[in-house]
């Protein structure tokens, strides 16, 4: 077990003695500590502290895997009967699988902002909805990402895949400006450009649908440079996998600790896959896309093993929001949860999540409440990094991960796609109870038999809120009689009031609007735009 | 790996040599087989065959676990977020988990008839609906159960739990008349008697609801004698577990191979649990009932270990039909499948299933098509028993179990609760495609948001049938355009015609009606009935 020397930025393990008088900040070899002489020892140790870099090779590595529009019921290990996800299933078998893990938004950009900052999207201003290729805004640069938390400790940092937290004028909001040394990827959703003439499956199967016809073709960027436009979907996953495994092995070779963030485009619409996965699943285009992601997960784990750092790496997997049910058989599945993407029912925000760290995390299943918000504080705690000096909404998951213990998180607050102070949160989960103050369907969740999920289910206020016991009724089918749950409702009301009192809405970054001239174009001076933006 | 000497009733394992010339029926130690002298060897071996009994101790044992009204999504290992099923999850982790396993009926008695006979319920006449305490009919005695298949090979046989295949005049249809040496249990559903004044949870929590007020109190029987009436729900599971583990250990001690069939009352309404499980789950009454069943599964596995026969025992688990959704939070959950009990949507008939046999069955997941119909032929094949000389609908699952290979089963036919020759089957699954010729909701599946599941969704004929790709769309949400699947529809039509041509409906046993005088009563001469029937 590791203890954190968080203020000093050092750590040590169980073979060293923890000096009880000094608290959890210090652990030392027994020879250094004469009985009752702890304070002197602290001074002594402070004097002989080695430069951070010299201990860098002992720091744990982090890989953060983030799937796109993947539902609670989409993985084999979460009960899907025809998904082929052997590597993610193995990750679950070797690690800790979460049953009650939440994203903070039922759509993409806000969810990603929370994951990387440990703060609700309302604080950072990443709302309403998502960023577009020409969005003027982005994740504000004064927000501190996980990469920026780790950089001061000497970590190598890389992002491969979908950013979707803004591009902005001159690439102001790209990952390279947010703590990532290296970036390879599409800076937003891969449907945010025309896709009808692109190939999504070999040999030449066109992508299904049209996507965003008015935007520039989807670019692939290396750091801040456009490498290819439009991106080649058939080659993309291999490029990502090679980039990611290369980053793992080169970091390990340098004995530099690393943080790899891999937000995949899979399984977002339009689904695509290269030759390794195309047609290989039994679940059609969605299944193939999922399998391609799963194959990369396998490649990354193999790279950890080959580089000798498997036992020193925490791999954490989850997804941004629920399935896009409107894509019918090409969309995901929220399993037994109600509705999907775009809604504040659990199907929109409850996600699969797995934490794996050989020898450190005991395999199993946890029913503890946790969230993407908690990833930053957990990583910071494990690495011994300082937390950003801003109000954080996340808590350290260490007790869950390393002791299968109780969560520090007591509540989860559900913001809709378009949070407004006037409405506040749409729903609150406190322990096993969930109160829906507002409900609303969404285009994204159209098409299943549950009418509540559809766009035609307009905003509805519930007073008292609809109350559910999510343990007895995870599908939110049977609301409880409020008269018999006054105490629960009172506690939820108090938690909601407390939370909303402490919530300061940041200026909306999405409402800064769109300037088509900001859309990434590999030949900036070309005409006519957007169609002339094509290279590589 | 075992090969079957099925005609001779012998078996052997990999350390013996399989004589290629003689096919899979024979395997012998190498010393017995001179090169190219196989036929002589067969004659030689035939002459020295030992009496069956002398090899009895080498025969594998079988435990068949059968849950009640348990949905596809109800176990932890099938994705339920709050069920606590560690022993069943472990069974799955150590064994082979099925994703495409079907019962033959969306209600109880017919499903059980098929499980025990390997034949659709229409052949045996166990339809429409279920048996009642005073039913005149039962599973016909000329039907051959798994117990009767194994008895000639010297197996000890026992049934503990819910029979529900008839009682009849003088106990004509009790398990003891169908090949079971020992029986302890309630001979039908435990809601088929008044339950409002019974205790379902300690210390004195009454059962929820009223159950069948007009019938005698639910009896507990030992062989053909009523031991207790009404049954004590708080003590029942312990009695079952003790009986079952005692049977395992005594059989093992005698070195007698055994077949234990444990059809649990869990998780059928009204849910109950003794002190070990009551309040121990987080999922309420349903979760507690499920946990009590799970604890017994753990006890049985432990008994196998303690008796030294764990490696020589196939444990097979599944359930009779989909969840009774009308029970709301007290009912089960079919996960991502459509509807539940009473319907021919997959939620009514697709079930969790697990096969475990240490060292023989490689752990994993299979997506092969299989059914309760296949249990009898599989057990017969493994044991080397003769198959009943009647038309069987089951196939040997050996290729799936022992080689993770393809299923011999190509199709599954869905009969409604009330099969009629005029309508034929309501649906057909052929490979990954399912065609719904008729659909209908059911009272049992009332209460979820999907209107198709409700009683108010009356019988509807579909011509052409609604066609689904169950691998891309296991939830049966998006029917395929029939014009583009003419070949598939043609193959399904042919399979249906072929099947129905070979289906001879047996005389309905349920329509023989009810005679209240046949209801089991521990004091047969008492008045007034049914309330006077109370003992123990």
């Amino acid at each position: 077990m590791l203890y954190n020397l968080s203020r000093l930025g050092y750590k040590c393990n169980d073979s060293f003695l923890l000096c009880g008088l000094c608290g959890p900040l210090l652990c030392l070899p027994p020879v250094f500590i004469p009985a009752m002489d702890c304070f002197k020892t602290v001074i002594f140790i402070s004097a002989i502290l080695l430069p951070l870099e010299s201990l860098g090779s002992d720091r744990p590595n982090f890989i953060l895997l983030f799937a796109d529009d993947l539902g609670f019921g989409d993985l084999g290990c979460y009960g899907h009967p025809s998904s082929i996800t052997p590597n993610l299933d193995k990750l679950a078998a070797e690690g800790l699988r979460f049953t009650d893990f939440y994203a903070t938004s039922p759509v993409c950009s806000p969810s990603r902002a929370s994951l990387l900052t440990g703060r609700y999207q309302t604080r950072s201003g990443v709302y309403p909805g998502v960023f577009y290729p020409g969005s003027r805004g982005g994740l504000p640069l004064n927000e501190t990402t996980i990469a920026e938390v780790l950089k001061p400790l000497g970590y190598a940092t890389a992002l491969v895949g979908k950013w979707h937290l803004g591009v902005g004028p001159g690439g102001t909001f790209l990952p390279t400006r947010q703590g990532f040394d290296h970036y390879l990827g599409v800076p937003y959703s891969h449907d945010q450009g025309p896709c009808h003439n692109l190939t999504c499956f070999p040999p030449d199967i066109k992508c299904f649908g049209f996507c965003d016809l008015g935007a520039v073709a989807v670019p692939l960027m290396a750091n801040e440079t456009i490498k290819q436009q439009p991106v080649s979907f058939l080659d993309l996953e291999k490029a990502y996998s090679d980039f990611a495994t290369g980053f793992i092995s080169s970091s390990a070779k340098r004995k530099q600790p690393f943080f790899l963030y891999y937000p995949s485009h899979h399984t977002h619409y339009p689904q695509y896959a290269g030759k390794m996965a195309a047609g290989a699943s039994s679940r059609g285009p969605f299944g193939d896309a999922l399998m391609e992601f799963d194959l990369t997960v396998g490649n990354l784990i193999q790279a950890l093993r080959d580089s000798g750092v498997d036992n020193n790496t925490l791999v954490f997997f989850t997804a941004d929001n629920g399935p896009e049910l409107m894509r019918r058989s090409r969309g995901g599945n929220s399993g037994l949860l109600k509705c999907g993407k775009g809604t504040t029912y659990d199907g929109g925000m409850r996600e699969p999540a797995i934490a794996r760290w050989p020898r450190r995390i005991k395999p199993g299943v946890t029913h503890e409440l946790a969230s993407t918000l908690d990833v930053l504080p957990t990583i910071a705690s494990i690495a011994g990094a300082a937390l950003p000096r801003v109000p954080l909404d996340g808590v350290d998951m260490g007790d869950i991960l390393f002791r299968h213990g109780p969560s520090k998180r007591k509540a989860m607050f559900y913001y809709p796609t378009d949070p407004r102070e006037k409405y506040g949160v749409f729903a609150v989960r406190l322990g096993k109870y969930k109160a829906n103050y507002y409900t609303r369907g969404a285009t994204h969740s159209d098409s299943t038999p549950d009418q509540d999920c559809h766009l035609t289910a307009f905003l509805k206020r519930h007073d008292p809120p609809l109350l559910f016991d999510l343990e007895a009724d995870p599908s939110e089918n049977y609301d409880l009689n409020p008269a018999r749950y006054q105490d629960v409702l009172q506690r939820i009301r108090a938690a909601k009031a407390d939370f909303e009192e402490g919530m300061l809405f940041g200026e909306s970054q999405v409402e800064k609007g769109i300037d088509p001239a900001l859309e990434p174009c590999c030949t900036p001076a070309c005409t006519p735009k957007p169609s002339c933006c094509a290279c590589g």
Side-chain angles (χ1 to χ4, degrees), chain A residues 70 84-85 190 200-201 237 262 264-274 277-281 283-296 330:
Chain A
L70 187 78
I84 310 287
T85 51
H190 69 285
C200 268
F201 293 96
E237 193 68 24
Y262 173 34
S264 176
H265 303 291
H266 297 313
T267 52
H268 195 292
Y269 166 93
Q271 284 77 25
Y272 66 83
S281 87
R283 204 185 149 185
F286 186 97
D288 291 359
L290 178 56
M291 191 186 227
E292 182 161 86
F293 175 61
D294 186 81
L295 286 170
T296 298
R330 289 169 179 265

Side-chain angles (χ1 to χ4, degrees), chain A residues 418-434:
Chain A
D418 52 348
R420 289 189 235 175
E421 292 191 81
K422 177 182 151 194
Y423 292 110
V425 295
F426 270 29
V428 176
R429 176 172 177 172
L430 185 68
K432 68 177 181 177
Y433 295 104
K434 180 179 179 185

Side-chain angles (χ1 to χ4, degrees), chain A residues 26-44:
Chain A
L26 189 58
C27 47
L28 302 164
V31 291
F32 279 141
I33 309 180
M36 299 303 292
D37 208 8
C38 191
F39 285 100
K40 279 187 202 164
T41 310
V42 171
I43 293 158
F44 167 70

Side-chain angles (χ1 to χ4, degrees), chain A residues 203-454:
Chain A
D204 191 31
I205 299 171
K206 296 297 173 214
C207 300
F208 186 83
F210 287 84
C211 310
D212 294 355
L213 288 174
V216 293
V218 173
L220 174 67
M221 302 191 77
N223 293 334
E224 301 188 3
T225 308
I226 297 174
K227 211 176 155 186
Q228 191 180 49
Q229 192 171 23
V231 66
S232 164
F233 289 134
L234 298 198
D235 306 313
L236 191 55
E237 193 68 24
K238 184 176 185 311
Y240 284 174
S241 182
D242 289 351
F243 176 92
T245 54
F247 172 72
I248 291 170
S249 62
S250 64
S251 301
K253 199 173 283 177
R254 282 195 312 276
K255 297 194 181 305
Q256 187 177 9
F258 62 83
F259 169 51
L260 171 66
Y261 173 39
Y262 173 34
S264 176
H265 303 291
H266 297 313
T267 52
H268 195 292
Y269 166 93
Q271 284 77 25
Y272 66 83
K275 64 182 175 189
M276 287 286 284
S281 87
S282 59
R283 204 185 149 185
F286 186 97
D288 291 359
L290 178 56
M291 191 186 227
E292 182 161 86
F293 175 61
D294 186 81
L295 286 170
T296 298
V297 173
N299 292 345
L300 299 187
I301 300 296
Q302 191 56 48
L304 291 178
R305 290 206 179 102
D306 293 346
S307 304
V309 293
D310 193 33
N311 291 336
N312 196 31
T313 304
L314 168 64
V315 178
F316 197 91
F317 160 81
T318 187
D320 65 342
N321 50 250
E324 202 178 19
L325 304 174
M326 68 180 276
R327 304 296 174 188
R328 303 170 58 97
S329 296
R330 289 169 179 265
N333 200 307
S334 52
L336 48 57
L337 301 183
K338 190 176 176 81
C339 305
K341 184 173 178 177
T343 78
T344 52
Y345 294 109
D346 262 36
M349 295 169 64
R350 194 159 167 181
E351 290 298 326
I354 302 164
R356 173 191 179 272
W357 188 348
R359 301 185 194 176
R360 289 290 314 277
I361 294 178
K362 198 178 141 201
V365 176
T366 177
H367 303 286
E368 293 297 315
L369 191 58
S371 166
T372 46
L373 291 164
D374 306 332
V375 174
L376 181 145
T378 305
I379 286 181
S381 168
I382 293 169
L387 288 172
R389 292 169 185 265
V390 288
L392 284 181
D393 298 303
V395 295
D396 182 357
M397 293 185 285
D399 286 341
I400 305 175
L401 299 185
F402 305 123
R403 290 169 280 286
H404 285 204
S407 179
K408 287 186 168 62
R409 170 171 296 284
K410 302 300 170 215
M412 192 68 212
F413 300 93
Y414 301 63
Y415 278 115
T417 54
D418 52 348
R420 289 189 235 175
E421 292 191 81
K422 177 182 151 194
Y423 292 110
V425 295
F426 270 29
V428 176
R429 176 172 177 172
L430 185 68
K432 68 177 181 177
Y433 295 104
K434 180 179 179 185
N436 287 326
Y437 287 83
Y438 292 95
T439 54
R440 190 174 61 187
T443 317
H444 293 298
S445 283
D446 255 337
S447 87
T448 60
D450 188 345
Q451 303 288 329
D452 293 345
C453 312
H454 298 187

